Amino acid sequence: MNTMELIKIPKVENVRMLDKYSNNHSLGTLYPTATHLIFVDPNGKKQIWVLYMHITSVDKQPLSTTGSPLQIKCKNFLTVTFVIPKERECHDIYLTLLKLSSPARLEDLYCFSYQASKDELPQHAGWNFFDIQSEFQRLGVPNDEWSLSYLNTNYELCDTYPKYLYVPSTSTNNVLSGSAKFRSKGRLPVLTYLHSNKAAICRCSQPLSGFNARCPEDEQMLYNILCTNPNSKYMYVVDTRPRINAMANRAAGKGYENESFYENIKFHFFGIENIHVMRASLNKLTELHKMTTVSSFLNGLESSGWLKHIRSMLETGWFIARAISNGVSVVVHCSDGWDRTAQVCSLAALMLDPFHRTIQGFQALIEKDWLSFGHKFSNRCGHISSDGKEIAPIFTQFIDATYQLLNQHPYAFQFNEYFLLTLHDHIHSCQYGTFVGNCEKDRQTLRLSNRTYSLWGHMANHMNEYINPLYCCNGYKEESNNVLWPKLAPQSILFWKGLYCRFENGIHCRETYEDLLLTIHDHTIALEDHVKLLYKRVNLIGKLLTSNDAQKKERQTHYEHLDNKFSKESLSEKIIGNSANVQELSNRTDISTSQLEKELKSVALDWKSSRNIEECVCSTTFDTFNKKYHCWSCGNIFCTRCMGRHGTLAGQLSQRAVPVCKSCSQNPSSSSPCNS
């Protein structure tokens, strides 16, 4: 059915949007569109856009004297309540939201109909940014110990793994096939990270061991992994589950490795709970917005257990990272190896490898450990209609754990908090095809790279918004080997207000220090780029003046030594030639002066402070829904709608695309549109 056919009512007027922190409720009009529910106040100063794909639940609350309340909860932690005057209109909006927020098929998702504006990057941009083979080549693989296996090229060995697998060079195809048959979902142990000291992180799923079952091929596989590291006589096998959960799985024919059967392994359990516990924990966390006292908030936070779960992930990731840095290889699994395993393997790599703490490196980490190795994004994020039992905040927890590390070590990360928030938003938005599907095979079947846009392409076009101004790529070292130590004391694990309370207008400061630092960082870069160009122009003008003086001296010398008796014809020629040179120099000087004037006017030397700016020039109110942006050309502050396409400024040497407002982007004397 066409999306527009599901919209039962085109607009509803006189709708009140409630504000829990004051009685200043907003009055406006609701517009259900093909992709968003939009609330607009009469003056157009406030606009709230609720993406259907972000909606978690829609609740019709009891009828009141002022109308029928409709509460909407979203996956990006927006909770908004609209009071609609007529119950019938409320019911129509309710039915529309239920249908449009839960598509029946993957092909009905937003990404398949989304069309970026012509000013954005082309559709193919971003899909070729990352390649799993290139990432392993960066780690020095393949080598003598590790080789590339083509056994899964058609996803026949394991349909939730990537087509290219890196395994011990000594492992035969029979060993690989036998190990895959002995592991849940066929997810055999394969390489995911190799340290320079030859210690490796390998990931897999639980063995189908039951109480006493054995598999010679699986035992050989783990022994081969051990032998790839000549610096250690043993290796760890980390089961991320609580011991009682793993023991219960033995009754179902699954379980964990018996140390008596596997040579030279040391087995460790860690207590990260399953998806059902995590889902319940997040549900409790989202109820904290109702708390009105300190004691109720703190009790609710403790009851949710959320911070305890985040700490458990960091603790497990740190155990793995510490073992690797000490030269001991680690094999990691949970039940099926696509939730908790992805969390702790990627956190360990984040702690070990400074590359993964850059924007490009973090994206590569997600591509490898989450997308390629089959984290079930569509199931866990509830992209399509389901019974909800598969939904769990696994990636949200990973983003939260990354934020904890960023907060503890702000100099170690190239990206900022807004980068993580943007990632979290688009995991659920389905605006881009990057995270649609449950595994690499799904994405190839859906032909997402041909039919949808990539999130990485979008982010590449807004890179300046994600830079952490405190990042020091060379100056920050936690230890001599650059391993990042997480602080695991209870008071060090913080409630992330910027994510879970990001839309609560009453609790945020007008300008955070991160926003101020980023503004200073961007302004400094703009001025430095401008100064480099001016320096080049000063040198050019100096050369022109020097050239002019030299030519004058040459002509003067020529006239003094000229003998008209013998050179009448050549005198005429030389005079004409010198006149042409002077005119050429004059023209060149005029062009340089004109160009310099244009360059001086194109870059703002002063940027307006955003601290006390409450409205855009278009009267849009700045709040948690409407971000502030500086125009690099005029230095004024605008909302998203008033910012134009990124353009190059005549006054900057690098000529890279930077944010400019629509007014400046339409002024050819200041900027030129970027066609990249």
Side-chain angles (χ1 to χ4, degrees), residues 190-208:
V190 294
L191 180 69
T192 184
Y193 181 81
L194 183 65
H195 197 274
S196 57
N197 63 12
K198 294 194 174 184
I201 301 176
C202 294
R203 57 182 295 170
C204 57
S205 60
Q206 64 183 332
L208 306 180

Side-chain angles (χ1 to χ4, degrees), residues 387-443:
D387 59 8
K389 293 180 180 179
E390 284 284 300
I391 295 175
I394 304 302
F395 193 79
T396 298
Q397 290 181 317
F398 168 65
I399 292 293
D400 193 327
T402 302
Y403 167 76
Q404 302 294 334
L405 294 173
L406 170 62
N407 188 65
Q408 293 175 8
H409 306 278
Y411 301 101
F413 291 84
Q414 186 188 26
F415 51 83
N416 57 18
E417 179 186 15
Y418 185 60
F419 173 80
L420 297 177
L421 293 175
T422 303
L423 258 179
H424 184 270
D425 283 354
H426 287 298
I427 295 300
H428 299 284
S429 74
C430 298
Q431 182 174 344
Y432 303 95
T434 306
F435 296 96
V436 171
N438 289 324
C439 59
E440 183 179 284
K441 181 182 178 182
D442 283 358
R443 296 180 188 97

Side-chain angles (χ1 to χ4, degrees), residues 482-663:
N482 216 8
V483 176
L484 204 66
W485 288 55
K487 297 176 175 65
L488 299 175
Q491 59 270 32
S492 298
I493 311 299
L494 304 179
F495 173 74
W496 188 3
K497 182 178 69 173
L499 175 61
Y500 307 115
C501 300
R502 62 189 293 199
F503 298 107
E504 305 281 343
N505 274 321
I507 65 173
H508 297 287
C509 53
R510 288 177 295 177
E511 183 180 38
T512 66
Y513 81 87
E514 293 96 338
D515 291 337
L516 177 60
L517 286 175
L518 185 57
T519 299
I520 295 172
H521 174 268
D522 287 347
H523 193 191
T524 302
I525 287 178
L527 293 178
E528 287 176 346
D529 204 346
H530 187 46
V531 167
K532 288 177 182 177
L533 183 74
L534 294 181
Y535 183 76
K536 182 179 179 180
R537 292 293 179 258
V538 168
N539 285 338
L540 175 62
I541 293 173
K543 290 178 181 178
L544 289 173
L545 293 176
T546 303
S547 175
N548 195 11
D549 290 343
Q551 289 188 14
K552 286 181 180 179
K553 289 180 180 180
E554 182 182 349
R555 287 198 301 272
Q556 184 178 358
T557 303
H558 174 74
Y559 294 148
E560 289 174 354
H561 294 88
L562 189 65
D563 186 349
N564 290 334
K565 183 177 180 180
F566 300 102
S567 308
K568 286 184 178 180
E569 186 176 351
S570 60
L571 172 62
S572 175
E573 293 173 353
K574 288 183 180 294
I575 290 175
I576 294 172
N578 283 333
S579 298
N581 290 338
V582 172
Q583 184 62 43
E584 180 185 356
L585 178 61
S586 177
N587 290 339
R588 289 173 62 195
T589 305
D590 287 342
I591 293 172
S592 297
T593 303
S594 173
Q595 179 69 16
L596 182 61
E597 184 178 359
K598 176 182 177 181
E599 291 166 353
L600 287 171
K601 291 181 178 180
S602 70
V603 178
L605 300 183
D606 294 315
W607 281 17
K608 186 175 291 186
S609 171
S610 63
R611 181 176 178 81
N612 296 315
I613 303 296
E614 297 180 355
E615 288 185 359
C616 178
V617 292
C618 69
S619 298
T620 297
T621 302
F622 289 121
D623 53 21
T624 54
F625 298 95
N626 296 294
K627 200 171 182 289
K628 300 175 183 177
Y629 296 90
H630 271 98
C631 171
W632 288 35
S633 182
C634 65
N636 291 323
I637 297 169
F638 300 93
C639 66
T640 305
R641 290 181 298 165
C642 292
M643 290 297 289
R645 61 189 297 185
H646 280 41
T648 56
L649 300 182
Q652 292 194 325
L653 181 64
S654 67
Q655 288 298 287
R656 69 186 183 95
V658 298
V660 291
C661 66
K662 287 182 178 179
S663 176

Side-chain angles (χ1 to χ4, degrees), residues 349-391:
L350 197 61
M351 297 173 193
L352 286 165
D353 195 337
F355 171 69
H356 289 312
R357 301 195 285 270
T358 66
I359 292 175
Q360 180 186 1
F362 193 73
Q363 292 171 337
L365 182 65
I366 292 172
E367 282 278 344
K368 174 171 64 72
D369 269 312
W370 292 84
L371 291 167
S372 292
F373 276 104
H375 175 66
K376 302 197 294 183
F377 277 103
S378 284
N379 284 6
R380 295 294 181 255
C381 298
H383 287 164
I384 58 176
S385 181
S386 67
D387 59 8
K389 293 180 180 179
E390 284 284 300
I391 295 175

Side-chain angles (χ1 to χ4, degrees), residues 58 81 111 142 157 180 201 207 209 280 310 407 423 481 587 599 611:
V58 186
T81 302
C111 59
L157 186 67
I201 301 176
S209 54
I310 300 300
N407 188 65
L423 258 179
N481 60 1
N587 290 339
E599 291 166 353
R611 181 176 178 81

Side-chain angles (χ1 to χ4, degrees), residues 55 57-59 92-103:
I55 295 176
S57 65
V58 186
D59 180 28
D92 286 342
I93 294 290
Y94 172 75
L95 293 179
T96 297
L97 296 183
L98 285 184
K99 291 288 186 181
L100 294 179
S101 62
S102 298

Side-chain angles (χ1 to χ4, degrees), residues 29-46:
T29 303
L30 274 181
Y31 297 92
T33 70
T35 58
H36 294 76
L37 179 67
I38 306 173
F39 174 84
V40 184
D41 73 0
N43 300 320
K45 290 187 175 183
K46 175 174 285 190

